[in-house]
Amino acid sequence: MLVYFAFGAVVFLLFFTQSIFSAEKVYEEALKSILERIDNPNIDVNMKDKHGKTALMIAVKYDHTKVVKKLLEREDIGVNIKDEDGDTALMLAAKYGSIGAVRVLLKDARTQAQAKNKNNWTAFMVAAGNGNTVVLKEILNDKTTDVNTQDTEGKTALIIAAEAANTEVVKTLIWDPRTNYNIKDMNGRTALMYTAKNGAIEAARALLFYCYYGHADYWVKDNTGKSARTIAIENKYRAITDLINERIHWDEPMDYDDFEHMGNPDAGIPCDY
């Protein structure tokens, strides 16, 4: 009972400090109390609340970096424990955009960055799905990150971002040479097809006119035999249809003057179209 009370006090203080963060003196006193309690060897730091969350998970949610670091000093800390949704501390940090916590967790050798939740999402995919570009870039810095891993529906981080019309995430992903633009999900749809379905014009533009590592395949078809162009036409997204037509024109043979004007795809010169 004493152990549970002590743990409950830590959790309560974590929530409390979030609500009074503007009162610096009170915050520092509360933080000091948390850090002292974490040092208590009688506290089970891996005890869970009713949603399966530990003190570490709550700390990363609010980006309490000092608390995260202190918890990680415990040899018995469960860095990769999962909550009721199968999310780890790193996944929650990615979800809430807690960049400080993400950096601290990634530096800890015990963190399993490629762990997956119930949807088969990694922390990387969680960041993409929630539009947290800063966190996404941080995880991309880890060269062991599998940027093309697929979830239970066959979706990659790029497909997830394209479906959500998150252009900044799409741009971030297509600048990474490891990203495969043309992976299909279980419906046979690519990232470009989802932009055509949802009318995500800027995301479609990024996929079609990215001039360094290539571009999305606009001819590939889904399980129903439809290409991205057909999907755009059916959904009455004329602007995306025009973009695809323009990409087709780009890929046609042209003379040197036209090539100079439109940009050199091999040299990474921005497209002027």
Side-chain angles (χ1 to χ4, degrees):
M1 180 64 70
L2 180 61
V3 171
Y4 184 81
F5 174 78
F7 170 80
V10 171
V11 171
F12 170 76
L13 284 170
L14 283 169
F15 280 115
F16 181 65
T17 52
Q18 176 62 19
S19 64
I20 51 98
F21 66 92
S22 59
E24 185 175 351
K25 182 177 180 180
V26 179
Y27 172 83
E28 291 300 326
E29 290 177 355
L31 181 60
K32 181 180 178 182
S33 179
I34 292 173
L35 299 179
E36 288 174 352
R37 291 174 186 274
I38 292 172
D39 278 333
N40 186 343
N42 294 318
I43 291 181
D44 180 2
V45 289
N46 297 316
M47 191 174 290
K48 298 181 177 182
D49 66 12
K50 64 180 181 179
H51 299 296
K53 288 181 170 52
T54 63
L56 179 61
M57 293 177 180
I58 296 170
V60 301
K61 177 179 179 180
Y62 296 115
D63 209 14
H64 284 305
T65 308
K66 288 184 179 179
V67 178
V68 173
K69 288 181 178 179
K70 193 66 175 179
L71 285 166
L72 291 177
E73 289 178 5
R74 293 276 298 252
E75 292 183 0
D76 58 342
I77 189 70
V79 181
N80 303 299
I81 289 176
K82 296 182 177 182
D83 64 13
E84 62 183 8
D85 296 316
D87 288 330
T88 63
L90 181 60
M91 292 176 193
L92 291 172
K95 177 180 179 180
Y96 293 106
S98 303
I99 186 60
V102 168
R103 287 170 177 157
V104 172
L105 287 167
L106 288 177
K107 288 179 181 177
D108 193 297
R110 295 168 295 182
T111 300
Q112 297 173 2
Q114 299 304 312
K116 295 186 175 183
N117 62 17
K118 290 183 177 180
N119 293 321
N120 227 30
W121 281 24
T122 61
F124 178 72
M125 298 167 83
V126 172
N130 286 276
N132 290 323
T133 310
V134 176
V135 171
L136 192 78
K137 290 179 179 178
E138 194 68 29
I139 301 177
L140 272 175
N141 287 334
D142 181 357
K143 298 306 178 183
T144 66
T145 298
D146 183 356
V147 300
N148 298 311
T149 189
Q150 294 171 278
D151 65 12
T152 53
E153 297 180 346
K155 291 182 170 66
T156 63
L158 180 61
I159 292 176
I160 292 168
E163 187 175 18
N166 196 316
T167 304
E168 290 307 308
V169 172
V170 169
K171 287 180 177 179
T172 299
L173 291 171
I174 63 176
W175 270 102
D176 192 291
R178 295 169 292 180
T179 301
N180 185 333
Y181 312 144
N182 300 310
I183 290 178
K184 293 182 176 183
D185 65 11
M186 293 181 68
N187 294 314
R189 291 195 166 178
T190 63
L192 181 60
M193 291 177 186
Y194 279 102
T195 64
K197 178 184 177 183
N198 299 330
I201 298 172
E202 293 308 314
R205 190 190 307 278
L207 286 162
L208 287 166
F209 291 95
Y210 176 64
C211 296
Y212 202 111
Y213 297 111
H215 59 82
D217 188 341
Y218 43 79
W219 291 127
V220 67
K221 296 180 180 180
D222 65 13
N223 294 348
T224 64
K226 297 176 182 177
S227 67
R229 185 174 183 277
T230 301
I231 294 171
I233 291 172
E234 287 184 350
N235 287 280
K236 297 180 171 57
Y237 290 123
R238 177 61 184 273
I240 293 180
T241 304
D242 289 344
L243 282 174
I244 295 173
N245 289 339
E246 199 160 5
R247 179 71 244 189
I248 293 172
H249 176 70
W250 167 282
D251 292 336
E252 290 177 350
M254 59 188 73
D255 61 31
Y256 181 80
D257 290 337
D258 287 338
F259 190 74
E260 280 285 277
H261 174 68
M262 296 181 73
N264 184 340
D266 294 322
I269 299 174
C271 301
D272 178 15
Y273 53 88

